[in-house]
Amino acid sequence: MTQSFAATAQNDSNSIPATDLVTVSRAVADLRRGEIVLVQGHLDGAVHSVAVIAAEPLSQAGFERLCDITHTTESPAIILPRVRARSLGGACEQDSFVAFVSKRQSEIDAARLGEIANPLLDLDQLPAGDWRAVSMAETAAIRLAKLARLLPAVVTVPVGADQLENLARAQNLLVLQSESINGYEDASAASLREVSQARVPLEDAENATVIAFRPEDGGQEHLAIVIDEPAKDQPVLIRLHSECFTGDLIGSLRCDCGPQLRGAISEIAKSGQGGIILYLRQEGRGIGLVNKLRAYALQDRGFDTLDANEELGFDADERVYRPAAEMLRQLGFGSVRLLTNNPEKLKGLEGWGVKVAERVPHKFPSNGHNAFYLQTKKDRAGHLF
């Protein structure tokens, strides 16, 4: 099965070469360290390239290097989410992100850019400057920051087409195409392969096996928890569960993730037919643990769970479901009974060719701390409670 799946993934029209997967993965690590990467975007035959550094880990040394190595007279731009730009007085249309360029570079340093990028800070005023639309390359750079689970804000300087290769070589910088960045998640999911498995008896399901799947670039593993021996010739009872450190591990009462995980294990074990929990590494609806904690801080100021994510510059839900579909295929299951209240999970699986034969309701009572959270999921995200 693994060989045939690999051949399918290799021929998938949405996949990108393994070398690009590795390059994007390396760029993610560079961005998290406050290093510079080069991004090239293509639109209607035009090419636009930028040197990029993430706003969150930005140091003064990194900012000065960004300005020095590009040898440009143009001021750096900081790319911000529309909601953050509006809170700072920016005139924005409907674009998701917008660029701010200071009129006097002497008024901008790393600390100031970090304050501008941080949606948890209220600023009295900005330096004098202009707002403009973002390029294809800058949009891809924001996508890269999201993949790095950083705040979606980057500082960019334009790089001429004749300068790009020399700059990359002289400064030992990675060059990424916008297409590679935007296609990374699909391609990474297509490359998943089983790397390990072991029997792991659970409190409510003693006959359980945990199977780990890893993408070719060595990224985060997703897990399949197989309980008993579900038949492959009929719809298998499954739960797609997004990783939740706070709910799953330390028993947070702000969400219902812990009860949903343990409840799914118990229900599958009691069914007598076995089933699977796919444990997906998509903390905070895909924004990562650190950003989820930032979202919690915003919720404490009155934002609901969806608005808090969007205030940070993320979509209300950034999760993808191709990893789940690929794991099911490798395990030999094409039809499922899905334990969920979220209709988007049904669409997500069916969009990647998995037949959802039945939605099995999976709800738990509120605890006094998560009532507003659950009501928001019902009223705004369409969860079927």
Side-chain angles (χ1 to χ4, degrees):
M1 179 182 298
T2 302
Q3 289 180 346
S4 62
F5 175 81
T8 301
Q10 187 175 6
N11 294 325
D12 194 306
S13 61
N14 288 312
S15 65
I16 57 178
T19 52
D20 278 359
L21 276 176
V22 173
T23 301
V24 175
S25 182
R26 287 177 57 197
V28 163
D30 282 356
L31 221 59
R32 288 175 64 88
R33 289 196 301 270
E35 298 289 342
I36 299 167
V37 299
L38 303 173
V39 179
Q40 190 171 57
H42 306 263
L43 182 62
D44 298 330
V47 179
H48 181 250
S49 302
V50 289
V52 177
I53 195 166
E56 182 180 333
L58 182 64
S59 66
Q60 186 60 25
F63 177 58
E64 291 175 359
R65 182 177 179 229
L66 178 72
C67 298
D68 290 343
I69 67 174
T70 50
H71 304 297
T72 181
T73 58
E74 295 189 44
S75 295
I78 181 166
I79 315 302
L80 298 168
R82 179 181 65 242
V83 288
R84 179 58 173 168
R86 283 180 175 168
S87 73
L88 298 171
C92 310
E93 299 299 329
Q94 293 303 310
D95 291 340
S96 298
F97 290 85
V98 64
F100 174 76
V101 183
S102 174
K103 290 183 177 179
R104 290 184 290 274
Q105 190 169 336
S106 60
E107 296 182 358
I108 291 291
D109 59 14
R112 189 62 169 154
L113 289 168
E115 292 172 349
I116 292 171
N118 189 346
L120 275 71
L121 294 181
D122 296 323
L123 301 184
D124 294 332
Q125 62 181 15
L126 284 177
D130 298 311
W131 298 91
R132 65 162 174 81
V134 300
S135 68
M136 179 74 73
E138 288 168 330
T139 300
I142 287 290
R143 183 71 232 158
L144 192 66
K146 287 186 175 184
L147 291 173
R149 301 297 188 257
L150 298 170
L151 281 174
V154 296
V155 180
T156 69
V157 174
V159 177
D162 57 344
Q163 184 187 10
L164 188 69
E165 289 189 15
N166 290 336
L167 181 58
R169 190 182 310 111
Q171 299 293 329
N172 193 28
L173 301 178
L174 291 172
V175 180
L176 297 94
Q177 304 300 316
S178 59
E179 297 87 352
S180 292
I181 297 171
N182 295 331
Y184 173 80
E185 286 183 306
D186 276 353
S188 178
S191 76
L192 282 172
R193 62 186 184 275
E194 181 184 328
V195 291
S196 181
Q197 68 169 273
R199 189 179 67 86
V200 183
L202 307 177
E203 287 184 358
D204 294 323
E206 290 193 15
N207 185 20
T209 299
V210 176
I211 304 173
F213 294 82
R214 180 185 295 149
E216 285 183 7
D217 66 323
Q220 287 191 324
E221 294 87 1
H222 299 285
L223 305 174
I225 305 169
V226 181
I227 297 171
D228 296 325
E229 297 182 6
K232 296 182 179 181
D233 60 353
Q234 56 186 317
V236 59
L237 183 62
I238 72 165
R239 162 82 183 158
L240 305 189
H241 190 88
S242 299
E243 176 184 39
C244 180
F245 167 82
T246 49
D248 298 343
L249 188 60
I250 60 176
S252 169
L253 299 178
R254 295 188 72 136
C255 63
D256 57 345
C257 300
Q260 284 190 329
L261 176 60
R262 290 181 286 277
I265 292 171
S266 177
E267 185 164 348
I268 290 172
K270 291 176 181 177
S271 73
Q273 298 178 335
I276 304 169
I277 293 171
L278 298 177
Y279 196 82
L280 306 173
R281 303 294 295 279
Q282 301 187 120
E283 181 93 39
R285 293 197 299 276
I287 70 174
L289 177 57
V290 172
N291 287 316
K292 184 174 81 171
L293 296 177
R294 292 180 174 126
Y296 280 172
L298 289 171
Q299 289 172 39
D300 288 340
R301 300 181 187 181
F303 291 92
D304 69 31
T305 181
L306 303 182
D307 284 340
N309 278 22
E310 292 176 346
E311 191 74 11
L312 293 173
F314 295 95
D315 293 337
D317 194 332
E318 296 265 351
R319 287 175 294 184
V320 295
Y321 295 107
R322 185 169 186 175
E326 298 298 334
M327 287 191 287
L328 286 169
R329 287 194 183 101
Q330 292 196 50
L331 292 170
F333 298 94
S335 180
V336 301
R337 298 170 58 232
L338 183 59
L339 280 161
T340 189
N341 307 312
N342 185 356
E344 291 302 313
K345 290 185 177 181
L346 279 72
K347 296 177 184 177
L349 280 182
E350 290 176 336
W352 290 109
V354 177
K355 179 182 178 182
V356 180
E358 179 187 0
R359 182 188 74 85
V360 180
H362 193 58
K363 53 189 177 182
F364 297 85
S366 62
N367 56 39
H369 295 273
N370 63 10
F372 179 57
Y373 164 81
L374 295 176
Q375 192 66 40
T376 298
K377 291 206 294 185
K378 177 182 178 181
D379 294 344
R380 296 195 56 201
H383 286 220
L384 304 171
F385 293 128

mmCIF file of all heavy atoms in Angstrom, residues 59-78:
data_model
loop_
_atom_site.group_PDB
_atom_site.id
_atom_site.type_symbol
_atom_site.label_atom_id
_atom_site.label_comp_id
_atom_site.label_asym_id
_atom_site.label_seq_id
_atom_site.Cartn_x
_atom_site.Cartn_y
_atom_site.Cartn_z
ATOM 1 N N SER A 59 15.083 41.392 15.309
ATOM 2 C CA SER A 59 16.069 42.062 16.146
ATOM 3 C C SER A 59 16.586 43.292 15.403
ATOM 4 O O SER A 59 16.438 43.408 14.183
ATOM 5 C CB SER A 59 17.236 41.129 16.464
ATOM 6 O OG SER A 59 17.964 40.826 15.271
ATOM 7 N N GLN A 60 17.230 44.185 16.132
ATOM 8 C CA GLN A 60 17.782 45.364 15.474
ATOM 9 C C GLN A 60 18.881 44.966 14.496
ATOM 10 O O GLN A 60 18.973 45.524 13.396
ATOM 11 C CB GLN A 60 18.325 46.358 16.510
ATOM 12 C CG GLN A 60 18.799 47.678 15.923
ATOM 13 C CD GLN A 60 17.704 48.450 15.197
ATOM 14 O OE1 GLN A 60 16.520 48.284 15.484
ATOM 15 N NE2 GLN A 60 18.105 49.283 14.238
ATOM 16 N N ALA A 61 19.696 43.978 14.890
ATOM 17 C CA ALA A 61 20.756 43.518 13.986
ATOM 18 C C ALA A 61 20.164 42.927 12.714
ATOM 19 O O ALA A 61 20.667 43.163 11.603
ATOM 20 C CB ALA A 61 21.636 42.488 14.695
ATOM 21 N N GLY A 62 19.089 42.155 12.857
ATOM 22 C CA GLY A 62 18.447 41.574 11.688
ATOM 23 C C GLY A 62 17.835 42.631 10.792
ATOM 24 O O GLY A 62 17.923 42.549 9.560
ATOM 25 N N PHE A 63 17.219 43.645 11.400
ATOM 26 C CA PHE A 63 16.620 44.724 10.609
ATOM 27 C C PHE A 63 17.683 45.509 9.850
ATOM 28 O O PHE A 63 17.527 45.822 8.668
ATOM 29 C CB PHE A 63 15.827 45.643 11.535
ATOM 30 C CG PHE A 63 15.216 46.824 10.840
ATOM 31 C CD1 PHE A 63 14.342 46.657 9.787
ATOM 32 C CD2 PHE A 63 15.534 48.116 11.247
ATOM 33 C CE1 PHE A 63 13.779 47.748 9.141
ATOM 34 C CE2 PHE A 63 14.979 49.205 10.607
ATOM 35 C CZ PHE A 63 14.101 49.019 9.553
ATOM 36 N N GLU A 64 18.775 45.810 10.516
ATOM 37 C CA GLU A 64 19.849 46.546 9.851
ATOM 38 C C GLU A 64 20.468 45.737 8.724
ATOM 39 O O GLU A 64 20.802 46.277 7.664
ATOM 40 C CB GLU A 64 20.916 46.943 10.876
ATOM 41 C CG GLU A 64 20.423 47.998 11.867
ATOM 42 C CD GLU A 64 21.434 48.307 12.961
ATOM 43 O OE1 GLU A 64 22.531 47.684 12.955
ATOM 44 O OE2 GLU A 64 21.137 49.154 13.825
ATOM 45 N N ARG A 65 20.593 44.440 8.930
ATOM 46 C CA ARG A 65 21.143 43.589 7.865
ATOM 47 C C ARG A 65 20.205 43.578 6.660
ATOM 48 O O ARG A 65 20.645 43.628 5.514
ATOM 49 C CB ARG A 65 21.359 42.162 8.378
ATOM 50 C CG ARG A 65 21.976 41.237 7.327
ATOM 51 C CD ARG A 65 22.243 39.858 7.879
ATOM 52 N NE ARG A 65 22.800 39.003 6.826
ATOM 53 C CZ ARG A 65 22.369 37.799 6.526
ATOM 54 N NH1 ARG A 65 21.364 37.260 7.215
ATOM 55 N NH2 ARG A 65 22.920 37.091 5.558
ATOM 56 N N LEU A 66 18.890 43.497 6.920
ATOM 57 C CA LEU A 66 17.916 43.505 5.829
ATOM 58 C C LEU A 66 18.087 44.754 4.974
ATOM 59 O O LEU A 66 18.049 44.686 3.734
ATOM 60 C CB LEU A 66 16.496 43.450 6.404
ATOM 61 C CG LEU A 66 15.345 43.503 5.392
ATOM 62 C CD1 LEU A 66 15.248 42.199 4.621
ATOM 63 C CD2 LEU A 66 14.029 43.812 6.098
ATOM 64 N N CYS A 67 18.260 45.894 5.624
ATOM 65 C CA CYS A 67 18.415 47.148 4.890
ATOM 66 C C CYS A 67 19.768 47.230 4.190
ATOM 67 O O CYS A 67 19.866 47.715 3.057
ATOM 68 C CB CYS A 67 18.252 48.333 5.841
ATOM 69 S SG CYS A 67 16.623 48.434 6.617
ATOM 70 N N ASP A 68 20.810 46.735 4.840
ATOM 71 C CA ASP A 68 22.168 46.863 4.299
ATOM 72 C C ASP A 68 22.390 45.997 3.069
ATOM 73 O O ASP A 68 22.967 46.441 2.073
ATOM 74 C CB ASP A 68 23.200 46.512 5.368
ATOM 75 C CG ASP A 68 23.271 47.560 6.469
ATOM 76 O OD1 ASP A 68 22.765 48.687 6.248
ATOM 77 O OD2 ASP A 68 23.797 47.248 7.556
ATOM 78 N N ILE A 69 21.952 44.733 3.121
ATOM 79 C CA ILE A 69 22.315 43.812 2.044
ATOM 80 C C ILE A 69 21.546 44.071 0.763
ATOM 81 O O ILE A 69 21.977 43.667 -0.322
ATOM 82 C CB ILE A 69 22.130 42.339 2.468
ATOM 83 C CG1 ILE A 69 20.643 42.007 2.687
ATOM 84 C CG2 ILE A 69 22.948 42.015 3.705
ATOM 85 C CD1 ILE A 69 20.380 40.541 2.959
ATOM 86 N N THR A 70 20.392 44.746 0.865
ATOM 87 C CA THR A 70 19.592 44.992 -0.337
ATOM 88 C C THR A 70 20.025 46.253 -1.075
ATOM 89 O O THR A 70 19.626 46.471 -2.225
ATOM 90 C CB THR A 70 18.098 45.099 0.027
ATOM 91 O OG1 THR A 70 17.939 46.021 1.118
ATOM 92 C CG2 THR A 70 17.558 43.743 0.444
ATOM 93 N N HIS A 71 20.802 47.088 -0.435
ATOM 94 C CA HIS A 71 21.344 48.293 -1.079
ATOM 95 C C HIS A 71 20.251 49.101 -1.776
ATOM 96 O O HIS A 71 20.406 49.534 -2.914
ATOM 97 C CB HIS A 71 22.429 47.927 -2.092
ATOM 98 C CG HIS A 71 23.543 47.120 -1.527
ATOM 99 N ND1 HIS A 71 24.392 47.589 -0.544
ATOM 100 C CD2 HIS A 71 23.944 45.843 -1.780
ATOM 101 C CE1 HIS A 71 25.281 46.661 -0.224
ATOM 102 N NE2 HIS A 71 25.029 45.586 -0.953
ATOM 103 N N THR A 72 19.137 49.302 -1.094
ATOM 104 C CA THR A 72 18.034 50.025 -1.702
ATOM 105 C C THR A 72 17.826 51.360 -1.007
ATOM 106 O O THR A 72 18.127 51.511 0.181
ATOM 107 C CB THR A 72 16.719 49.213 -1.631
ATOM 108 O OG1 THR A 72 15.685 49.955 -2.259
ATOM 109 C CG2 THR A 72 16.334 48.928 -0.194
ATOM 110 N N THR A 73 17.342 52.308 -1.747
ATOM 111 C CA THR A 73 17.004 53.609 -1.170
ATOM 112 C C THR A 73 15.559 53.629 -0.669
ATOM 113 O O THR A 73 15.153 54.585 -0.012
ATOM 114 C CB THR A 73 17.190 54.724 -2.216
ATOM 115 O OG1 THR A 73 16.370 54.432 -3.355
ATOM 116 C CG2 THR A 73 18.649 54.821 -2.639
ATOM 117 N N GLU A 74 14.810 52.577 -0.998
ATOM 118 C CA GLU A 74 13.420 52.508 -0.553
ATOM 119 C C GLU A 74 13.337 52.107 0.917
ATOM 120 O O GLU A 74 14.124 51.292 1.401
ATOM 121 C CB GLU A 74 12.644 51.497 -1.394
ATOM 122 C CG GLU A 74 12.504 51.875 -2.855
ATOM 123 C CD GLU A 74 11.551 50.938 -3.581
ATOM 124 O OE1 GLU A 74 10.482 50.631 -3.003
ATOM 125 O OE2 GLU A 74 11.875 50.514 -4.695
ATOM 126 N N SER A 75 12.378 52.677 1.614
ATOM 127 C CA SER A 75 12.157 52.300 3.004
ATOM 128 C C SER A 75 11.536 50.909 3.074
ATOM 129 O O SER A 75 10.727 50.545 2.211
ATOM 130 C CB SER A 75 11.236 53.302 3.688
ATOM 131 O OG SER A 75 11.829 54.569 3.765
ATOM 132 N N PRO A 76 11.880 50.123 4.085
ATOM 133 C CA PRO A 76 11.238 48.813 4.247
ATOM 134 C C PRO A 76 9.739 48.984 4.476
ATOM 135 O O PRO A 76 9.279 50.006 4.999
ATOM 136 C CB PRO A 76 11.922 48.237 5.491
ATOM 137 C CG PRO A 76 13.171 49.023 5.649
ATOM 138 C CD PRO A 76 12.885 50.386 5.113
ATOM 139 N N ALA A 77 8.992 47.979 4.079
ATOM 140 C CA ALA A 77 7.545 47.960 4.317
ATOM 141 C C ALA A 77 7.242 46.910 5.373
ATOM 142 O O ALA A 77 7.889 45.857 5.420
ATOM 143 C CB ALA A 77 6.797 47.635 3.032
ATOM 144 N N ILE A 78 6.277 47.194 6.225
ATOM 145 C CA ILE A 78 5.777 46.160 7.131
ATOM 146 C C ILE A 78 4.401 45.750 6.637
ATOM 147 O O ILE A 78 3.528 46.587 6.399
ATOM 148 C CB ILE A 78 5.743 46.626 8.605
ATOM 149 C CG1 ILE A 78 5.240 45.469 9.496
ATOM 150 C CG2 ILE A 78 4.934 47.893 8.799
ATOM 151 C CD1 ILE A 78 5.479 45.687 10.976
#
